Amino acid sequence: MTKIFNSIVDLEIELKEVRGNCEIIAFVPTMGALHQGHLQLVKEAQKIADKVVMSIFVNPTQFNDKNDLDKYPKTLDADIKLVQTVGLDYLYVPDETEIYPPEKIVELELNLLHYDQVMEGAFRPGHFKGVCQVVKRLLDLVDPHILVMGQKDFQQYSIIQFMIDQLLLPIRLHVVNTKRDSRGLALSSRNMRLSESGRIKAATIFRTMKTIKSKIKLEGISFLESYGFNRLKRAGFEPEYVSIVDGSDLKNITSIHGTKYAVICVAAWLEKVRLIDNMVLFDER
């Protein structure tokens, strides 16, 4: 039975005993509206740790659009039932005052360099500052050995790895492959806002990335980016970007020559829902 905590004080008491037994703690931060992708993170965490903590907290500081924050689905009762099906050990559901106590300064001072200027950062200014702030705060509270995140948010976990390296945090980041439905659509909490026909159409993103992957060593980078952007536009999307970047530093590449790790990242609107996805094109590191 999953133990549920609203207070870090109570969770700390539980985790103190776990650490006393020299057990490894893995942590999965989420914003709720859980789906099979989140459960996959828990299952992978269970393979590499003795105990798994998941948090559910809709972080206001990473939303640069209040309407997007207001629309974010909140399904706590269903979330609790779902995590119990995979034997999650601990679920931490704090309120905003616990994460951002008015009497304590928790703002993170960290220069993200170019990492938060490209792709998501360009279209959502301040987003990654908010992400780093809440993840650092949660890590300070839970104090896990391993942080588990999904590949679907490639730029996000790349920035979190950068934060871990810059702050010399004693935490290992473990990334889990993107969970997809039978059509290839990356599972996301936002998908529940799509109609059935919208979910079918949304899989065009996956098919487009697969086509680009098959042609990455045959065509130029700018041609493939334009191809992906225009294909999505013709399919009825409102694409924001289709970018092929160096997976090591998120910088745009102009040629595959000299590049050992290339990733395509996509963001596009469909039915007023913003979808993101990515795919490793090649990794020869």
Side-chain angles (χ1 to χ4, degrees), residues 18 89 151 160 168 187 206 209 229 269:
V18 173
D89 298 295
Q151 183 195 326
I160 295 301
L168 302 177
L187 299 190
F206 176 68
M209 293 191 301
F229 192 96
W269 290 85

Side-chain angles (χ1 to χ4, degrees), residues 10 26 39 58 61 78 82 117 129 149 162 175 185 192 283:
D10 296 331
L39 297 191
V58 181
T61 69
L82 200 58
Q117 303 300 309
K129 181 180 179 181
M149 303 182 78
F162 177 78
V175 179
L185 175 62
M192 65 178 63
D283 186 354

Side-chain angles (χ1 to χ4, degrees), residues 66-82:
K66 187 178 183 301
N67 289 331
D68 201 21
L69 172 60
D70 293 340
K71 290 178 182 177
Y72 198 87
K74 298 174 181 64
T75 57
L76 182 58
D77 290 343
D79 292 345
I80 291 172
K81 292 179 181 178
L82 200 58

Side-chain angles (χ1 to χ4, degrees), residues 4-257:
I4 303 169
F5 299 88
N6 300 114
S7 165
I8 192 59
V9 174
D10 296 331
L11 179 58
E12 282 177 339
I13 293 171
E14 187 80 22
L15 295 182
K16 184 177 181 180
E17 182 177 345
V18 173
R19 294 188 186 92
N21 294 331
C22 297
E23 294 182 293
I24 301 297
I25 300 168
F27 175 53
V28 182
T30 82
M31 293 205 300
L34 303 181
H35 50 68
Q36 291 300 316
H38 293 108
L39 297 191
Q40 185 68 22
L41 297 182
V42 174
K43 292 175 184 176
E44 289 296 316
Q46 290 169 333
K47 295 177 183 177
I48 57 176
D50 300 297
K51 299 293 183 182
V52 180
V53 181
M54 173 184 280
S55 66
I56 292 178
F57 177 68
V58 181
N59 177 40
T61 69
Q62 69 188 67
F63 287 85
N64 57 322
D65 183 345
K66 187 178 183 301
N67 289 331
D68 201 21
L69 172 60
D70 293 340
K71 290 178 182 177
Y72 198 87
K74 298 174 181 64
T75 57
L76 182 58
D77 290 343
D79 292 345
I80 291 172
K81 292 179 181 178
L82 200 58
V83 296
Q84 288 176 339
T85 65
V86 291
L88 175 71
D89 298 295
Y90 310 116
L91 181 63
Y92 176 43
V93 190
D95 62 21
E96 189 171 343
T97 58
E98 175 138 309
I99 301 300
Y100 301 122
E103 73 280 0
K104 185 174 182 178
I105 298 174
V106 296
E107 187 169 353
L108 178 65
E109 294 295 332
L110 177 66
N111 185 351
L112 295 175
L113 304 178
H114 66 280
Y115 282 86
D116 68 338
Q117 303 300 309
V118 298
M119 297 186 294
E120 291 297 284
F123 285 90
R124 303 176 69 187
H127 169 69
F128 287 118
K129 181 180 179 181
V131 169
C132 288
Q133 182 182 35
V134 74
V135 172
K136 176 61 165 58
R137 176 67 174 149
L138 287 166
L139 291 176
D140 288 344
L141 292 170
V142 178
D143 191 22
H145 302 92
I146 305 170
L147 172 63
V148 180
M149 303 182 78
Q151 183 195 326
K152 188 184 81 68
D153 297 299
F154 185 86
Q155 185 174 8
Q156 177 171 281
Y157 85 70
S158 298
I159 287 175
I160 295 301
Q161 182 65 69
F162 177 78
M163 179 186 76
I164 289 171
D165 294 341
Q166 292 298 302
L167 300 181
L168 302 177
L169 302 180
I171 294 165
R172 176 165 69 89
L173 175 60
H174 181 80
V175 179
V176 179
N177 291 339
T178 302
K179 181 78 171 176
R180 300 181 181 277
D181 68 13
S182 59
R183 305 182 190 97
L185 175 62
L187 299 190
S188 170
S189 303
R190 296 173 185 269
N191 292 354
M192 65 178 63
R193 290 164 52 192
L194 293 170
S195 66
E196 178 58 29
S197 62
R199 283 192 288 273
I200 293 171
K201 182 185 289 187
T204 304
I205 295 175
F206 176 68
R207 293 194 296 272
T208 300
M209 293 191 301
K210 279 189 67 176
T211 299
I212 290 174
K213 182 173 184 176
S214 71
K215 298 178 181 293
I216 187 64
K217 297 190 177 181
L218 302 174
E219 303 284 358
I221 297 297
S222 60
F223 171 84
L224 291 173
E225 289 176 335
S226 296
Y227 160 79
F229 192 96
N230 291 330
R231 178 174 174 176
L232 292 177
K233 198 167 184 177
R234 288 194 303 270
F237 293 80
E238 296 175 37
E240 286 187 340
Y241 61 80
V242 175
S243 298
I244 297 175
V245 302
D246 188 316
S248 301
D249 59 14
L250 301 184
K251 291 183 178 180
N252 285 89
I253 60 176
T254 57
S255 169
I256 64 170
H257 300 297

